[in-house]
Structure formats: structure tokens, C-alpha cells
Amino acid sequence: MTAGIELVRLPDLAAVPYAYAAVTDPGRMVVTAGACPLDANGAVVAEGDVAGQARQVMANLVATLTAAGAALTDVLKTTVYVATTDRADLDRAWDVVRAAFGEHDAPSTLVGVTVLGYPGQLVEVEALAVRDSWQEPGPPDDVPLP
């Protein structure tokens, strides 16, 4: 593995063949895998229910960000995938995602796709975040030049 990359795995979420997030050295950038609507046993929840799946996706995304030392308020951008050709399904997923972020209206891309990775999966959200993990005096560019 490349030095400076921390892969984040969560024992409380479903066992998947990838890390839930990665954090870069020196520890500020957090890149998540797509959060899926899986319960702790790896089963897709709320089959056929876009909003129900979006709620589980956001709970899993929050758990992933927390484990990586970040929060929804640290998110720079998201991509929301919905397996549908119906714009109303996009709206249902977006309403849940948007509500989870509250006042933190980070840029996002909402995309309708043909199929997602798990049978019955309708929603997936990936995020790019920055965590504040610098020790004082702060990032190198905060140090006065001689």
C-alpha cells in the first residue's frame, strides 16, 4: 500500500470487499466509497423504496465519515446515484440526502443510472470530505515564511 493512505474499514457495517473510505497523508482528504443501503449483515434494506434506501445510505455514510474523523459538514462534494429512469425517484432520493445535510449544501451531482452493485439496490452516495486534523500551527502554508 502507498505510504500516507489510510483505508477505513467499519466492523459495524456490512463486510464488503473494499474499504469504506480512504484518508490521505497528512490526514485531511477523505474519499468514501459509495455508501450503499446495506444493513450490518450486508442485506439490502427497503427493497423497492427509494427514500427508505436513501435513509440507510445516509446513515452508512455518516458512520463512514465518523470513522474517518469527519462529518457531513466536512463534505466538499457528493455524487448521488439512483437506479431509475423516473425523475420522481431522483427527487425522492435527493430529498432524503438534502435533509441529511441540512444547512451544509455542498455541491452534488444527482445521476440516474441503469443498475447499481447489489441486487435490489436503488441508491448509492459517495462523498469527498476534508477533515481538520492539522496540529498547530496548522498547515504548512499557515507557517510564516522566513
Side-chain angles (χ1 to χ4, degrees):
M1 177 173 14
T2 303
I5 298 176
E6 172 192 348
L7 297 178
V8 179
R9 301 180 193 284
L10 287 85
D12 294 338
L13 294 184
V16 293
Y18 50 83
Y20 276 93
V23 180
T24 64
D25 187 35
R28 289 183 45 109
M29 180 79 59
V30 178
V31 180
T32 72
C36 298
L38 303 178
D39 64 17
N41 297 316
V44 172
V45 302
E47 286 205 37
D49 179 3
V50 169
Q53 286 195 11
R55 283 188 289 278
Q56 182 70 45
V57 162
M58 293 309 296
N60 291 348
L61 180 60
V62 167
T64 298
L65 289 168
T66 299
L72 289 178
T73 54
D74 298 316
V75 170
L76 295 171
K77 181 193 183 306
T78 62
T79 305
V80 180
Y81 302 94
V82 184
T84 189
T85 58
D86 185 346
R87 193 167 305 277
D89 287 337
L90 293 172
D91 291 340
R92 280 189 276 284
W94 179 248
D95 288 346
V96 172
V97 171
R98 187 70 205 101
F101 277 94
E103 295 296 315
H104 184 69
D105 57 348
S108 187
T109 300
L110 177 62
V111 181
V113 298
T114 304
V115 66
L116 290 167
Y118 293 94
Q121 180 183 358
L122 300 173
V123 181
E124 186 165 329
V125 177
E126 62 185 19
L128 177 62
V130 174
R131 68 182 187 185
D132 184 12
S133 60
W134 289 98
Q135 300 300 312
E136 288 302 325
D141 60 350
D142 285 356
V143 177
L145 296 174

